[in-house]
Amino acid sequence: MEEYELVIGLEVHVELLTESKMFCGCSTRFGASPNSQTCPVCAGFPGTLPVINKKAVELALKAAIALNCKISSYSRFARKHYFYPDLPKNYQISQYEEPLATEGGILVDSRNIRIKRLHLEEDAGKLIHPEDGNFSLVDLNRSSVPLIEIVTEPDIKSPSEAEKFLTNLKRVLEYLEVSDCNMEEGSLRCDANISVRRYGDKGFGVKEEIKNMNSFRAVRKALEYEGRRQIDCLKRGEMLRQGTRLWNDTLQITEEMRKKEEAQDYRYFPEPDLPPLVFDNRMIKEISSQVGELPLQRKERFIKGYLLSEYDADVLTSKKDIADYFERCVEKAGRPKIVANWIMGDLTALLKSTKTDIRNSPVTPEYLVQIISMIEQGNITGVVAKIVLQECFNTGMPPEKIVSERGLSQIEDEEAINSVVKEVISESPDAVNDYKSGREQALSFLIGQTMRKTKGKVSPNIVKNKLLEYLNK
Ligand code: ADP
Ligand code: MG
Ligand code: ZN
């Protein structure tokens, strides 16, 4: 973008996959009826005391380790004060000066985007504004759901790099089962900070923080719009003032929400009701050992070990379940490229159209391997294999049984093939003449007719050779 460059930093909130809330025993299940998952602690009653959820701390540590952060041997919770109807205590328990972890990073196209801090906190409740009525409702089911906040350094240089950062981050957190990262349900939310400066400038420009984006694509769009807007302002000689803006997804623009002077002072102070978090090396080692192979490492291994293309490896490692499925197939069948094609092609289409998770696929890895080996052994043709896959997906029946019960085995009997080919030739004099007068396409038509008559049970290559034999007689 001409003489200006963009400077971007992200703040990402992620709900942790715990059964219960951050400081009480209430369920975190999404979608329950309003205020059915609350208690005096998460509803902010005076006199109640919070108790730290151990699982939440472990998940936060797991994320911090996977993101290459330095774990603080001592960290503390702090109260962040503000007044809002969805925050019953009028403060949020967060971490401030002594966060759980610092100085991490994520690789985006081999560039390290530094993570400044990762800390634990609790979510707020939710306000509902009914369209018919001049009142609002509050649902405290989300109040005190465990969150981690991940804050990057302003290392990101473009909107698409921000989008990739988020994609990679999401993959890591999903892999570790730290969060389901479901953006529609608000499990992952992102605020984006952006400023612009002249190339070569050392200092930073004045930043705006953008909120209210509900997809990674919206983050990219908002940053593209906002970068452009700031550059245009500077070019007109205007001064920028720091503030917060909201993304309007309908109009595809950012709109001013407030200027910095209007921002609250949170009056942070250490939470007196909770002990500090103190970790020893043994505990950190223990959790590190649970982290295991991360998506980027797995992708590299797929490229090197299975000789897959970068693209195939990327798709197959985009979700842990897909990568696991793939490897279970390859363990039995070998043939990584063929397995990859089946998974990424026909199987993915069936899963998508029925909104099925690959983990629950009726076509298990064992069944897909059966189909692939039946093709390899010449039991069925590629055309029939697709039918068998579909049938197996619909019924959950073993592919071998489908083939034998429905008589789908490949026809190899020469006599049988000869008689079909003869039939097709005698029924299609026009196509035969076309072919003989040099129109090659006529051959495809004749192959198609033969395949139809045999319901795809003959190898197209054999059909082609047989037809040519007759046509060239
Ligand atoms: P604040 O005190 O306003 O919250 P922080 O220093 O905590 O600012 O940073 C918040 C986020 O804003 C971080 O992700 C950081 O990388 C980013 N950020 C800070 N300064 C800039 C800037 N000048 N331009 C773009 N992003 C910035
Ligand atoms: Mg901040
Ligand atoms: Zn509760």
Side-chain angles (χ1 to χ4, degrees):
M1 254 190 217
E2 63 262 55
E3 75 253 52
Y4 291 96
E5 69 171 339
L6 306 182
V7 174
I8 297 167
L10 301 176
E11 295 166 278
V12 187
H13 287 91
V14 183
E15 284 183 358
L16 300 174
L17 266 181
T18 56
E19 296 284 321
S20 60
K21 292 187 179 181
M22 189 68 224
F23 302 115
C24 62
C26 291
S27 167
T28 55
R29 193 167 59 85
F30 181 85
S33 69
N35 297 309
S36 63
Q37 296 171 353
T38 56
C39 73
V41 177
C42 59
F45 282 35
T48 58
L49 287 172
V51 177
I52 301 171
N53 180 334
K54 184 168 176 231
K55 181 77 192 285
V57 177
E58 287 170 359
L59 292 179
L61 282 174
K62 224 170 161 185
I65 291 165
L67 300 173
N68 273 316
C69 293
K70 215 156 104 185
I71 309 293
S72 315
S73 52
Y74 177 99
S75 66
R76 266 203 302 185
F77 288 99
R79 291 186 180 181
K80 176 181 182 178
H81 295 85
Y82 62 98
F83 178 75
Y84 205 65
D86 65 9
L87 191 75
K89 297 193 292 286
N90 290 332
Y91 62 83
Q92 176 190 22
I93 303 180
S94 179
Q95 294 189 299
Y96 187 52
E97 279 169 338
E98 294 157 296
L100 182 90
T102 54
E103 293 172 67
I106 291 190
L107 283 180
V108 177
D109 292 341
S110 9
R111 223 166 72 72
N112 186 40
I113 306 297
R114 289 171 303 158
I115 289 170
K116 190 172 168 178
R117 55 185 281 143
L118 182 155
H119 70 248
L120 265 167
E121 59 186 30
E122 58 177 339
D123 212 340
K126 223 188 251 173
L127 283 182
I128 297 150
H129 311 285
E131 275 175 26
D132 52 345
N134 55 354
F135 58 92
S136 294
L137 298 165
V138 66
D139 176 5
L140 295 181
N141 283 351
R142 200 179 70 177
S143 170
S144 220
V145 165
L147 288 179
I148 48 175
E149 179 174 351
I150 297 161
V151 182
T152 77
E153 295 287 354
D155 285 351
I156 298 167
K157 292 185 171 173
S158 69
S160 67
E161 195 174 39
E163 190 179 17
K164 283 185 194 163
F165 173 91
L166 291 169
T167 306
N168 289 0
L169 174 66
K170 177 171 184 262
R171 274 190 194 181
V172 170
L173 299 176
E174 281 177 346
Y175 250 70
L176 297 175
E177 294 176 346
V178 160
S179 173
D180 60 23
C181 295
N182 185 333
M183 280 189 98
E184 279 113 66
E185 296 182 1
S187 311
L188 188 154
R189 313 189 289 269
C190 172
D191 301 332
N193 298 269
I194 176 169
S195 63
V196 301
R197 65 177 173 189
R198 279 178 196 280
Y199 276 107
D201 278 1
K202 286 279 172 293
F204 288 130
V206 174
K207 73 168 166 123
E208 292 270 12
E209 179 174 351
I210 318 171
K211 293 181 175 293
N212 202 35
M213 296 148 301
N214 54 16
S215 68
F216 293 169
R217 184 172 173 274
V219 172
R220 175 166 56 79
K221 290 274 172 198
L223 287 168
E224 282 166 0
Y225 175 88
E226 181 59 21
R228 187 75 255 157
R229 191 192 67 83
Q230 291 182 14
I231 292 170
D232 290 345
C233 282
L234 291 180
K235 280 188 169 167
R236 287 195 301 269
E238 292 169 25
M239 284 271 286
L240 296 172
R241 278 166 63 217
Q242 189 177 329
T244 303
R245 302 179 72 85
L246 291 178
W247 173 243
N248 183 326
D249 206 54
T250 314
L251 300 179
Q252 299 274 298
I253 59 170
T254 63
E255 295 169 320
E256 182 167 281
M257 179 177 149
R258 60 166 177 257
K259 282 291 153 206
K260 193 183 179 200
E261 305 81 79
E262 303 157 28
Q264 314 88 317
D265 170 6
Y266 293 123
R267 294 176 297 120
Y268 280 100
F269 72 73
E271 167 59 67
D273 290 338
L274 290 170
L277 295 171
V278 181
F279 306 115
D280 58 17
N281 283 337
R282 194 186 48 83
M283 178 168 185
I284 291 175
K285 269 212 188 100
E286 161 72 30
I287 292 184
S288 303
S289 71
Q290 295 166 18
V291 169
E293 188 179 39
L294 294 170
L296 212 60
Q297 296 162 344
R298 199 166 192 183
K299 177 177 159 187
E300 289 306 314
R301 183 165 64 77
F302 277 22
I303 295 173
K304 295 208 178 83
Y306 300 127
L307 305 177
L308 294 178
S309 68
E310 155 111 32
Y311 176 80
D312 289 358
D314 194 64
V315 174
L316 292 171
T317 56
S318 63
K319 287 229 155 65
K320 184 164 186 289
D321 289 342
I322 300 177
D324 289 346
Y325 187 103
F326 169 80
E327 291 212 273
R328 274 176 64 192
C329 293
V330 172
E331 258 167 38
K332 296 196 172 58
R335 311 267 187 237
K337 179 61 188 160
I338 292 172
V339 171
N341 288 348
W342 278 99
I343 294 175
M344 291 164 62
D346 290 67
L347 182 61
T348 297
L350 288 168
L351 293 168
K352 272 214 174 117
S353 69
T354 54
K355 293 203 170 68
T356 310
D357 203 291
I358 193 162
R359 209 194 290 218
N360 306 322
S361 169
V363 182
T364 60
E366 291 69 26
Y367 287 171
L368 185 60
V369 167
Q370 263 186 28
I371 294 175
I372 292 172
S373 54
M374 281 191 287
I375 307 172
E376 300 242 303
Q377 289 161 10
N379 287 347
I380 55 172
T381 63
V383 183
V384 165
K386 283 174 188 277
I387 299 168
V388 174
L389 183 83
Q390 167 103 54
E391 185 75 11
C392 173
F393 192 88
N394 292 342
T395 63
M397 254 166 69
E400 281 169 359
K401 200 162 164 219
I402 295 172
V403 169
S404 64
E405 279 189 5
R406 297 196 33 196
L408 293 170
S409 289
Q410 180 161 338
I411 303 171
E412 288 180 79
D413 176 20
E414 277 236 32
E415 270 318 299
I417 299 172
N418 277 338
S419 76
V420 182
V421 166
K422 271 192 227 159
E423 221 177 284
V424 168
I425 287 189
S426 69
E427 283 169 9
S428 324
D430 291 350
V432 172
N433 284 337
D434 280 355
Y435 179 80
K436 289 195 166 153
S437 55
R439 249 172 276 157
E440 297 272 329
Q441 314 92 288
L443 182 60
S444 310
F445 170 79
L446 292 168
I447 295 174
Q449 290 298 102
T450 318
M451 295 301 290
R452 188 165 313 153
K453 271 192 196 288
T454 59
K455 300 207 171 65
K457 291 188 290 186
V458 190
S459 143
N461 256 334
I462 296 178
V463 170
K464 184 178 167 190
N465 291 336
K466 271 281 166 256
L467 278 165
L468 285 174
E469 222 174 82
Y470 279 92
L471 289 168
N472 295 332
K473 254 184 197 162

